[in-house]
Amino acid sequence: MSEAVVSPVSGESAGVESLPLTGERTVPGIAEENYWFRRHEIVYARLLERCGGATVLEAGSGEGYGANMIADVATRVIGLDYDTSAVEHVRAAYPRVEMIQGNLADLPLDDASVDVVVNFQVIEHLWDQGRFLRECLRVLRPGGQLLISTPNRITFSPGRDTPLNPFHTRELNAAELAELLEQAGFRIDVMAGVHHGPALVALDEQWGGSFIDAQIERALAGEPWPAELTAAVAGVRTDDFDLRPAPGSAVPAWDPDIDASLDLVAIAVKP
């Protein structure tokens, strides 16, 4: 039996079944998935104020929990996803989100029609990343912001020429992401990194040097997780992650430890 969605914020319709956990996207309400969910959620939480009073497009909205968070502060939230099941789920679960189906390489929106484009943990799934970013530039109004995050290739797939995650087409380091954004016509105001805070650093030490590897090893083994590991993962909080530099820092800003970050977070502006 599918679990009922457990939304991190208000505005969700009750009784809607959750999307299946396929490895392509993260979903809320699953104990063993909680680390990855919170790691994604931190970026929404810390950048939410940039969506205040705005017309926002979330390009690649997935399960929809993030678009629903944005709906707390934005004037209008448009969700876009290519997957039919995701589109239907968001329409049922998060009625504040105007959900449409479409291709991220050909955004079905007018020129200069939105104030903010949100794209978290999506660009690594796309085949034509440059074209997608040019589409983001097109639909943004002058001065509009692209908020984008993606796994840091250096730490996510270390020492590999191809992504570890089979759903990823191309992972990026900070320099490669910056180059793509600038080639598309954006000005980069912030290049931040997601890092483990003190509680997660302690869990790294407890689990043999890497709390992430401990989870991956158990998942690949295809066996039930030890109760201690499940409890540790389920207890991870959004605030256990750090985003550096902190939102509100003077721009331009660049995380001095960006190559050691878990995820890259860029704030790019249409001139």
Side-chain angles (χ1 to χ4, degrees), residues 11 54 80 86 89 130 170 231-232 237 240 247 255 257:
L80 174 68
H89 172 79
R170 181 195 177 197
R237 302 171 302 122
D240 290 334
D255 177 8
D257 298 318

Side-chain angles (χ1 to χ4, degrees), residues 25-239:
R25 59 182 167 243
T26 188
V27 299
I30 299 176
E32 292 84 356
E33 180 71 4
N34 185 57
Y35 168 87
W36 299 101
F37 172 70
R38 300 302 177 187
R39 180 166 151 180
H40 290 189
E41 188 183 40
I42 183 64
V43 185
Y44 287 101
R46 296 293 170 82
L47 299 187
L48 202 59
E49 64 181 21
R50 291 181 175 269
C51 300
T55 296
V56 181
L57 166 68
E58 181 166 23
S61 50
E63 195 275 342
Y65 68 87
N68 189 48
M69 291 176 69
I70 295 168
D72 279 344
V73 301
T75 299
R76 180 187 181 198
V77 180
I78 304 164
L80 174 68
D81 206 279
Y82 188 74
D83 182 71
T84 300
S85 62
V87 171
E88 292 175 348
H89 172 79
V90 174
R91 287 173 177 165
Y94 306 114
R96 298 185 298 175
V97 179
E98 299 176 33
M99 194 65 198
I100 56 178
Q101 187 168 13
N103 191 334
L104 270 66
D106 188 16
L107 297 176
L109 279 81
D110 293 336
D111 294 358
S113 58
V114 300
D115 303 305
V116 180
V117 175
V118 171
N119 184 249
F120 294 158
Q121 304 294 319
V122 173
I123 193 171
E124 66 275 6
H125 294 262
L126 304 181
W127 288 104
D128 195 338
Q129 296 171 340
R131 179 174 175 179
F132 164 67
L133 293 176
R134 291 191 295 274
E135 278 290 279
C136 291
L137 190 80
R138 178 183 66 78
V139 303
L140 279 167
R141 298 184 176 113
Q145 299 177 93
L146 170 63
L147 312 179
I148 186 167
S149 75
T150 190
N152 179 8
R153 175 173 59 80
I154 297 173
T155 57
F156 197 81
S157 297
R160 293 176 57 94
D161 294 328
T162 57
L164 183 64
N165 188 317
F167 295 102
H168 293 180
T169 60
R170 181 195 177 197
E171 294 170 356
L172 304 163
N173 63 28
E176 291 163 343
L177 176 59
E179 181 180 31
L180 279 173
L181 289 167
E182 289 169 346
Q183 287 177 345
F186 284 98
R187 181 189 80 234
I188 301 170
D189 277 0
V190 176
M191 183 67 74
V194 174
H195 299 264
H196 280 176
L200 287 168
V201 170
L203 284 171
D204 283 329
E205 295 173 356
Q206 179 182 341
W207 290 94
S210 174
F211 186 47
I212 297 171
D213 288 349
Q215 296 175 68
I216 293 173
E217 288 170 7
R218 301 316 192 279
L220 293 177
E223 300 174 354
W225 285 26
E228 185 182 8
L229 179 60
T230 301
V233 172
V236 173
R237 302 171 302 122
T238 304
D239 286 343

